[in-house]
Amino acid sequence: MPSSMLLGIIVAALVLIVLIASLRVVREYERLVIFRLGRLRGAIGPGLVLLLPYLDRSVRVDMRVVTLTIPPQEVITRDNVTARVNAVVMFKVADPVRSVMEVENHAVATSQYAQTTLRSVVGRADLDTLLAHRADLNEDLYRSIAQQAVPWGVEVSVVEIKDVEIPELMQRAMARQAEAERERRAKVISAHGELEASTELRDAALVLSEAPGSLQLRYLQTLLELGADQNSTVVFPLPMDIIGPVMGALKNFAPEDEAVAPISVQSPSTTPSSTAHPRPPQTAATPQEDDDHE
């Protein structure tokens, strides 16, 4: 084999090796930021990318959404309550060139800034706001982190407070407060019910007073309900509108009875004249005394 042919084979093999080493496959969700001799060329991809060996350097950037969990942070709320708060941040790289050129590690930078912002926002709120109005705090966190991440080429999509841990003593105090609030609401509802019931009873009494027969029907209905329970004791209510006429009639007859009573008991022997001078008893004369007188 001639030496020229051998040299050509060697050269072709070296070119093939260099060509294979220069090829890069970029996935659909990735971009390559190329530096040639230290100068930025830009972001390329996806697909098959050819790089010059020993001249080009590439940085692979993932364009997918990254879920970042912020570790629990010890914070003190505005009303001096200690709490442990953690959150979750979802972001993705919108500009691969700026994510490489403006910050060393955009994921670490976003995480650290999110922790600092979480402490600051929660420290400005009280405990009730932290527990009941968490959406407002999430909005504040989102605006602060998203605004800071824009120069890094990072787009923040979601910032949510994940969990809030408070001391056990504070949990007991909140439980007592909630129980007292429920008791207060129950008493208020009961008072409103009594007020409405008294109003309805007053209206019912006015309606029944216009038709006295309806009250007797109500009494009969009550007796029917008592008899349905198979009770041994029967309570019979006697309405006053029935007793009233009877009592009035008795009062009308009472003076006449008192006027007739002395006349019915009085006798002739008890007149004042006979009682003041009683006559001596008279005896009948016998036949012998009549003969003596003759």
Side-chain angles (χ1 to χ4, degrees):
M1 180 179 294
S3 58
S4 59
M5 185 178 294
L6 182 59
L7 182 60
I9 294 174
I10 293 174
V11 171
L14 291 176
V15 171
L16 182 61
I17 292 173
V18 171
L19 183 61
I20 294 175
S22 302
L23 293 177
R24 296 289 187 274
V25 176
V26 182
R27 298 181 180 90
E28 184 68 29
Y29 55 85
E30 294 177 339
R31 298 295 183 272
L32 284 183
V33 180
I34 306 300
F35 293 90
R36 179 168 293 173
L37 297 177
R39 297 186 65 84
L40 177 66
R41 286 191 55 196
I44 57 176
L48 188 62
V49 178
L50 179 62
L51 301 178
L52 297 180
Y54 305 106
L55 298 179
D56 292 342
R57 293 291 183 269
S58 64
V59 179
R60 193 177 296 269
V61 180
D62 196 332
M63 304 290 292
R64 291 177 294 182
V65 176
V66 178
T67 302
L68 177 64
T69 301
I70 302 177
Q73 304 294 313
E74 292 282 348
V75 296
I76 299 178
T77 60
R78 188 173 59 181
D79 50 354
N80 298 325
V81 177
T82 304
R84 289 173 57 89
V85 183
N86 60 351
V88 58
V89 180
M90 294 184 180
F91 65 91
K92 67 178 181 178
V93 176
D95 190 347
V97 175
R98 299 177 68 179
S99 68
V100 174
M101 296 295 295
E102 300 295 335
V103 64
E104 179 182 2
N105 191 327
H106 63 274
V108 175
T110 304
S111 175
Q112 294 297 321
Y113 187 77
Q115 295 180 26
T116 305
T117 307
L118 178 62
R119 288 174 176 267
S120 176
V121 171
V122 174
R124 294 195 302 264
D126 53 11
L127 183 60
D128 294 337
T129 303
L130 181 60
L131 297 177
H133 304 282
R134 195 175 297 181
D136 298 336
L137 299 178
N138 293 336
E139 186 66 23
D140 294 342
L141 286 172
Y142 171 76
R143 286 198 302 264
S144 300
I145 299 175
Q147 183 178 2
Q148 181 62 34
V150 168
W152 302 337
V154 175
E155 180 183 348
V156 179
S157 57
V158 176
V159 180
E160 294 284 345
I161 295 177
K162 189 176 180 180
D163 190 17
V164 178
E165 298 179 6
I166 58 177
E168 185 177 357
L169 184 61
M170 182 60 64
Q171 294 180 10
R172 295 176 181 174
M174 293 176 63
R176 292 194 298 268
Q177 179 183 1
E179 184 178 359
E181 180 66 20
R182 287 193 295 269
E183 292 180 356
R184 183 188 68 84
R185 292 180 181 178
K187 291 180 180 179
V188 169
I189 293 174
S190 177
H192 282 295
E194 292 291 338
L195 179 61
E196 293 179 1
S198 62
T199 304
E200 296 296 333
L201 287 176
R202 182 193 61 187
D203 297 340
L206 293 177
V207 173
L208 291 176
S209 63
E210 297 176 357
S214 60
L215 186 60
Q216 298 180 6
L217 294 177
R218 183 60 181 168
Y219 289 153
L220 294 177
Q221 181 66 27
T222 303
L223 291 177
L224 181 62
E225 294 176 358
L226 291 175
D229 296 337
Q230 298 181 358
N231 293 328
S232 58
T233 303
V234 176
V235 178
F236 185 76
L238 192 60
M240 294 301 299
D241 55 355
I242 296 178
I243 301 178
V246 177
M247 297 298 295
L250 293 177
K251 290 181 181 178
N252 293 333
F253 285 113
E256 298 178 0
D257 295 339
E258 292 176 358
V260 174
I263 299 175
S264 60
V265 247
Q266 187 175 4
S267 61
S269 61
T270 58
T271 56
S273 57
S274 61
T275 54
H277 302 283
R279 291 181 180 181
Q282 297 179 359
T283 57
T286 58
Q288 186 179 355
E289 289 179 354
D290 295 335
D291 295 337
D292 292 337
H293 282 295
E294 291 177 357

